Amino acid sequence: MATVEEPVPAHGVPRDNPLGTAYGRPPQHPDHALTQVGPGTPMGELMRRYWQPVLASRNVTARPREVRILAEDLIVFRDGEGRPGLLYPRCMHRGTSLLWGHVEADGIRCCYHGWKFSVEGHCLEQPCEPNPHQCRPEHRQPWYPTRDRYGLVWAYMGPPDRRPVLPRWDVLENLTDEEYYQVADASWGSHRDPEGPEVVPYSWLHMNDNIMDPFHVQVLHSTFSVTQFVREFEVMPTCDFEYIDGGVIYRAYRDLEDGREVDRISTWMAPNIMSVPSTMLAAGPSTGMGFVVPVDDTHCRIVGVARFKKGESRQPYRVNGKTWSQMSLEERQDVPNDYEAQAGQGPISLHSEEHLATSDRGIAMQRRALEQNIRRVMEGADPDGVILDPARELVHVPSGNFFRPKQRTPEPA
Ligand code: FES
Ligand SMILES: [Fe+2]
């Protein structure tokens, strides 16, 4: 499925350049099959086979709100009965946006002529018509199914007859009375700043690649500037990668000064699901899940949900007391983080000029899995990780930081 095309040299420029100067370099391009997410694109159709988180449940209210997801503009709201609605924005009557509508107990009423639609798009009222309550059944505002779970509103935007179960991930299940779900729907995983941009200006694939990239933790987050997480990450890990049912995991082993080793397991599941264990190296299974939700080809929203003890919460990342949005360009150059590295790849990276190396094995495995799943969907089958049987809704997530006496002889990374 790779879309690497033969590079075409610019007109009149020789291909050979033994000195390697930038002059005459051929035009480059993204891997469109992996980065285009609109309706009808290969990746867009794969993404639409899974439930996607839209916003935190607390941000879906009686005030209608515009939201863009998978290159579709939609209106999200919560009706008076508490049901989340996700509708095509242009009113089916004469096209004004439902952003200007008012929410009632059983739906949203368009501001222009008062047509009212339920969260499933049924037209309930047409007050300017001779029989306001006799709407034709075919008068239905395009809609998507939604659910509330884990403090998030989820949507299924794919073919109705292939609608899967919304999975239950074991690391989020059985919340105790002492815990709560902390939900971040504004790309915390990129800038770790509550004031940072809600949607980040780059392809979803940049963040997705980052999930199976244990080596950047040693460089970007630990030794390039300051220790952004914990000192243990200053050690270059020894890593194994393996396919699991529906995804890929890495195991990053590090020897510790106290004679133990830590086995840090991180999980990626198709198409955009992650469980990165505590970056403060808290021991035990992961406590959260994350989702790299494409907004369109050049923007994504990183959504996360994690269980926390009541009274505890994630704190913004600060350098010299400043959060990401308080830093100047120069200060961010001094201490670049995930946002800088991923936005630095451009709106969509130019995959044709990449040089994947040994340390990119996990990324190559992820992309291969995505390409296989795209093919499966094109051939009429269901992709990995799609659960149709409600009895199989529970998904095991292997992620975590596991400490133990040293067992391995370190190998070069
Ligand atoms: S445009 Fe919405 S009711 Fe007329
Ligand atoms: Fe990172």
Side-chain angles (χ1 to χ4, degrees), residues 91-96 98 110-115 117:
C91 172
M92 65 169 301
H93 177 220
R94 278 178 34 216
T96 200
L98 293 175
C110 178
C111 70
Y112 209 177
H113 314 93
W115 288 27
F117 306 102

Side-chain angles (χ1 to χ4, degrees), residues 189-384:
S190 175
H191 44 64
R192 300 178 181 87
D193 177 2
E195 306 301 321
E198 190 172 314
V199 163
V200 287
Y202 49 82
S203 161
W204 78 280
L205 196 66
H206 300 192
M207 179 65 205
N208 198 68
D209 285 345
N210 183 269
I211 301 166
M212 279 297 114
D213 182 359
F215 298 100
H216 88 282
V217 176
Q218 196 273 352
V219 182
L220 179 69
H221 295 305
S222 304
T223 55
F224 184 81
S225 54
V226 293
T227 297
Q228 298 176 356
F229 299 127
V230 290
R231 280 206 49 231
E232 287 84 341
F233 290 157
E234 292 169 15
V235 175
M236 190 64 82
T238 302
C239 297
D240 294 336
F241 298 87
E242 72 182 80
Y243 283 112
I244 58 165
D245 190 20
V248 181
I249 62 167
Y250 74 65
R251 297 169 187 277
Y253 301 94
R254 289 179 176 87
D255 288 335
L256 303 177
E257 286 168 0
D258 63 7
R260 294 182 303 163
E261 68 173 17
V262 57
D263 175 8
R264 185 159 193 266
I265 302 179
S266 206
T267 306
W268 170 83
M269 291 176 177
N272 60 340
I273 303 170
M274 59 179 149
S275 180
V276 177
S278 158
T279 49
M280 302 316 287
L281 220 46
S286 174
T287 52
M289 299 297 295
F291 307 87
V292 190
V293 183
V295 168
D296 54 29
D297 297 353
T298 54
H299 296 82
C300 68
R301 179 192 296 275
I302 301 161
V303 175
V305 51
R307 55 200 305 160
F308 270 85
K309 289 218 168 64
K310 286 178 181 164
E312 295 180 2
S313 63
R314 227 183 246 130
Q315 296 302 310
Y317 179 67
R318 291 175 193 273
V319 177
N320 298 328
K322 291 186 179 178
T323 59
W324 182 88
S325 51
Q326 292 166 340
M327 289 186 211
S328 66
L329 172 66
E330 290 76 12
E331 287 168 322
R332 285 170 45 209
Q333 284 180 300
D334 289 342
V335 289
N337 207 315
D338 281 314
Y339 181 94
E340 284 70 32
Q342 292 169 38
Q345 293 173 298
I348 315 181
S349 198
L350 300 173
H351 301 101
S352 63
E353 67 180 10
E354 284 182 333
H355 296 84
L356 295 190
T358 305
S359 56
D360 300 305
R361 178 148 175 257
I363 291 162
M365 291 168 74
Q366 275 176 302
R367 292 187 188 173
R368 204 171 306 134
L370 287 169
E371 288 162 357
Q372 280 172 359
N373 281 311
I374 285 173
R375 259 195 302 273
R376 232 168 259 163
V377 170
M378 288 171 114
E379 288 164 0
D382 292 312
D384 281 339

